[in-house]
Amino acid sequence: MKTFEGVHIPGLLQTEDQIRAISAASVPKLSEGELEVRVRFRLRRQEILGGVPYEAVIHEAALRIRAADSKVARGQLLQILERSEHPQVTVRVVPFAVDGFAGIGDPLTYAGGPVPQLDTVLMDTPHGGAFLDAEAQLARYREVFSKVEEAALGVIESRQFIERVVRSA
């Protein structure tokens, strides 16, 4: 599974405080019960990290945007660093300073496996998620991910980059 996020931290890497802050800002506003259900669901969904290879590419903007306050932002960055130490998790960063990284702003997730015809792309949109699985769509998003990966720093450089952002948070 691969994901790219330009504005938010990928859901599988979010702390509970980050989830709460993002969910509390949703429109329409969630009731306290709906908020609790969303938080529990998102935290439970993170259990997938125990066994599925996961590659997250995060734009610098997502690392710097504060969903809440500096304490939540710092905790979120530290959790990304901790999760990136797991052998099945890869985290890479696309910094602002990368040349030619235009037109790739939509958050998306690519779920692939041994049978490429069964791959699926999930695109988050303002009106909800859209699942794409037609071969032409998959080919397009394989190319999009290739461009994202080309623009991203390496794993070690990404960790160092996130550590610098933590120090400035």
Side-chain angles (χ1 to χ4, degrees):
M1 182 169 358
K2 297 179 179 187
T3 189
F4 170 70
E5 287 284 347
V7 178
H8 294 292
I9 301 301
L12 294 179
L13 301 176
Q14 291 176 358
T15 63
E16 181 173 344
D17 288 338
Q18 183 85 355
I19 295 167
R20 285 185 183 285
I22 292 170
S23 298
S26 69
V27 176
K29 186 168 176 57
L30 300 173
S31 71
E32 191 59 37
E34 291 169 323
L35 178 64
E36 289 306 313
V37 167
R38 181 171 292 182
V39 170
R40 294 294 149 232
F41 172 77
R42 288 181 157 246
L43 290 172
R44 221 170 132 228
R45 188 174 62 176
Q46 292 178 3
E47 294 172 10
I48 194 172
L49 292 178
V52 173
Y54 178 66
E55 179 181 340
V57 181
I58 308 169
H59 195 277
E60 179 179 351
L63 298 174
R64 294 193 182 275
I65 291 174
R66 293 184 177 175
D69 58 25
S70 61
K71 180 182 174 190
V72 171
R74 184 173 168 69
Q76 178 59 74
L77 294 168
L78 292 172
Q79 177 159 301
I80 292 170
L81 289 171
E82 183 270 324
R83 295 261 171 96
S84 71
E85 292 175 1
H86 296 171
Q88 75 279 11
V89 176
T90 302
V91 175
R92 296 177 59 203
V93 174
V94 176
F96 285 127
V98 168
D99 292 334
F101 193 73
I104 304 174
D106 296 327
L108 56 110
T109 300
Y110 190 101
V115 181
Q117 294 86 350
L118 299 178
D119 291 359
T120 303
V121 171
L122 167 62
M123 291 193 60
D124 290 329
T125 68
H127 57 276
F131 292 93
L132 310 173
D133 60 3
E135 185 53 43
Q137 295 167 325
L138 293 173
R140 177 174 184 250
Y141 286 102
R142 286 184 193 113
E143 185 175 342
V144 167
F145 264 108
S146 176
K147 290 180 184 225
V148 166
E149 291 168 336
E150 287 174 19
L153 299 172
V155 172
I156 293 169
E157 294 87 355
S158 293
R159 281 189 63 78
Q160 293 168 341
F161 189 95
I162 295 169
E163 288 167 351
R164 286 193 300 276
V165 176
V166 168
R167 286 193 295 275
S168 70

